[in-house]
Amino acid sequence: MRDDEAGGSGELFDGGPFDRGTADEDAAEQGRTEEELRQAAAILDPVPPELRRIAVEAYALHDLDARIAELTFDSLVDAIPVRGVADPPRMLTFHTGELTVDVEVTPHGLMGQLLPPQEASIEVLSGPQAGARLTADDLGRFIGDPPPAGPFALRLRTGDETVVTEWLRA
């Protein structure tokens, strides 16, 4: 039996409990629900002011013209565990274009090398405060201490090029 034969208007679920309304009404309801959820989160689980400040300042630190060096190896994820080694150093490899940055993170600090070998100034970004400044020698080697305590990235300046690594937690 067709809906219009049963006395309906020809619209399926017209005015009944399954009536979905118009797209505008759906969007308005979704907006109200989203706002209610935002208010609940702000009251029940607010973002700490210090974290908000760090996030805003970290975003301000990024270089719009810098190339991003993508993480291509992380020993926490990609390495096979070695028996008998209790606390191995974390090995990271970043890659962009023809530049590779190998970094070892230990409790004593950072140690790394740029490939192909070249001189560079390196800044360890670790939040709003000025990061440690390191220098890669003509073989591309650099050392820095102490190790970053939280999320960090490296900003490398080689000649006229700026490269920034992805952010990672130490």
Side-chain angles (χ1 to χ4, degrees), residues 13 16 19-20 27-28 44-47 54 60 70 81 83 95 98 101 118 124 134 154 158:
F13 306 120
D19 184 13
R20 298 196 44 165
L44 300 174
D45 189 20
V47 175
I54 289 172
E70 180 182 355
R83 188 171 33 165
H95 185 75
E98 295 184 17
V101 183
Q118 58 191 291
V124 180
L134 311 175
L154 302 176
T158 61

Side-chain angles (χ1 to χ4, degrees), residues 20-44:
R20 298 196 44 165
T22 66
D24 291 339
E25 290 170 346
D26 288 346
E29 178 63 26
Q30 184 178 359
R32 285 190 295 273
T33 303
E34 184 178 333
E35 183 56 33
E36 289 173 7
L37 289 172
R38 286 183 193 279
Q39 290 174 0
I43 293 168
L44 300 174

Side-chain angles (χ1 to χ4, degrees), residues 35-164:
E35 183 56 33
E36 289 173 7
L37 289 172
R38 286 183 193 279
Q39 290 174 0
I43 293 168
L44 300 174
D45 189 20
V47 175
E50 181 66 13
L51 180 59
R52 183 182 305 272
R53 184 179 65 78
I54 289 172
V56 168
E57 291 177 359
Y59 180 77
L61 291 175
H62 82 284
D63 294 305
L64 294 176
D65 60 343
R67 289 192 315 164
I68 302 296
E70 180 182 355
L71 181 66
T72 56
F73 177 82
D74 184 345
S75 62
L76 289 180
V77 177
D78 303 320
I80 298 172
V82 177
R83 188 171 33 165
V85 178
D87 192 20
R90 184 174 184 187
M91 306 298 291
L92 304 167
T93 300
F94 300 94
H95 185 75
T96 182
E98 295 184 17
L99 179 66
T100 300
V101 183
D102 288 322
V103 181
E104 180 177 327
V105 182
T106 70
H108 307 290
L110 298 175
M111 180 172 36
Q113 183 171 19
L114 307 178
L115 298 169
Q118 58 191 291
E119 294 180 359
S121 65
I122 302 168
E123 183 179 2
V124 180
L125 307 173
S126 58
Q129 65 274 12
R133 300 210 179 263
L134 311 175
T135 303
D137 63 16
D138 58 341
L139 296 176
R141 301 173 300 188
F142 60 92
I143 296 176
D145 55 271
F152 77 99
L154 302 176
R155 179 184 294 139
L156 302 95
R157 298 187 194 284
T158 61
D160 353 330
E161 184 175 49
T162 301
V163 173
V164 179

